Amino acid sequence: TSMVIMIGTDAQRVLKPIHLLKNAASEIAHFNLNERIRIQGHNELSELSDSFNKMTRQLSDALSDKQSALVELAKLNETLEERIHKRTRELQRLNSQITHQALHDPLTLLPNRSLIMERLRQAIRYAHRKNITMAVFMLDLNRFKEVNDTLGHPVGDQVLIEVANRIPNVLRESDTIGRLGGDEFVILLPESDLEDAKTVAQKVLEQFSIDFKVSDHSLSVGTSIGIALYPEHGDSAD
């Protein structure tokens, strides 16, 4: 926007340019930097108006640069926040993975000794509070050594994995099966008495009545099961 005055009388030569400069200063105070002053002539007031217009353009450019910088900064913050969130999710996933690996057997993916003992202690505390019984199974595989000695450990590992896949099919959701190591497995049966334990043991044995088919071999592998009850046979996890 341009405002033009003609230099005429002395009053016009002084008062109107001053009035324009005053209005322009008010516009700048309200951050309206589109206003431009045009005073004809070659005197101090016209030079002042040129300086005023130059200052207004500089302020406008500076404000524009500031807005651009704020936009870029906002984008950068958004990118940084997303990277932080992504890294946090990665760390949470990694921590979960490390925790899982620390508590599970790497071959069968079943709970390992540490997790089994913790769950057994929890089950004992629960049984003690409720004044109920619970059962623990210890399983050793029969003829497993012969499998390893004659066919090799990779075949033996496949048998262990198949055992880990079969047994959960006959357990309740609240039960736990884990691997202590080698060919030793543990089953925890919360809220179970002797008759419940016998029933589950029979179902487990039936899973071993089916041959294990591994690497074109049909293998007959059985199991021996020892049963202990809380509190009749012990009152601690050990």
Side-chain angles (χ1 to χ4, degrees), residues 111-171:
N112 62 13
R113 181 185 294 271
S114 297
L115 185 53
I116 291 170
M117 294 300 288
E118 177 58 30
R119 290 187 180 180
L120 178 54
R121 285 189 285 266
Q122 292 176 356
I124 290 174
R125 288 194 293 266
Y126 180 81
H128 177 72
R129 289 197 304 270
K130 297 295 185 179
N131 194 29
I132 56 178
T133 61
M134 66 160 295
V136 181
F137 288 5
M138 291 284 294
L139 281 72
D140 273 314
L141 303 188
N142 302 332
R143 297 180 294 279
F144 183 73
K145 184 177 184 299
E146 287 81 351
V147 172
N148 277 336
D149 290 345
T150 58
L151 300 176
H153 289 280
V155 173
D157 287 347
Q158 290 302 312
V159 171
L160 294 175
I161 293 173
E162 181 60 25
V163 170
N165 291 334
R166 287 188 186 186
I167 294 181
N169 294 329
V170 299
L171 301 180

Side-chain angles (χ1 to χ4, degrees), residues 20-84:
L20 291 176
L21 291 169
K22 178 182 176 182
N23 288 342
S26 177
E27 293 294 328
I28 292 177
H30 291 86
F31 293 96
N32 181 8
L33 303 179
N34 295 320
E35 190 73 23
R36 295 292 183 268
I37 304 172
R38 184 181 177 190
I39 299 176
Q40 294 182 350
H42 300 282
N43 51 44
E44 294 181 351
L45 290 177
S46 63
E47 293 177 358
L48 181 59
S49 69
D50 291 340
S51 298
F52 204 95
N53 291 333
K54 182 178 180 181
M55 180 188 68
T56 303
R57 286 193 297 271
Q58 291 175 341
L59 287 175
S60 179
D61 292 342
L63 184 59
S64 178
D65 291 341
K66 178 184 176 182
Q67 293 297 334
S68 299
L70 289 175
V71 170
E72 292 300 321
L73 182 60
K75 291 180 180 178
L76 179 60
N77 286 336
E78 184 177 351
T79 301
L80 289 175
E81 288 178 2
E82 178 57 31
R83 291 178 63 182
I84 290 172

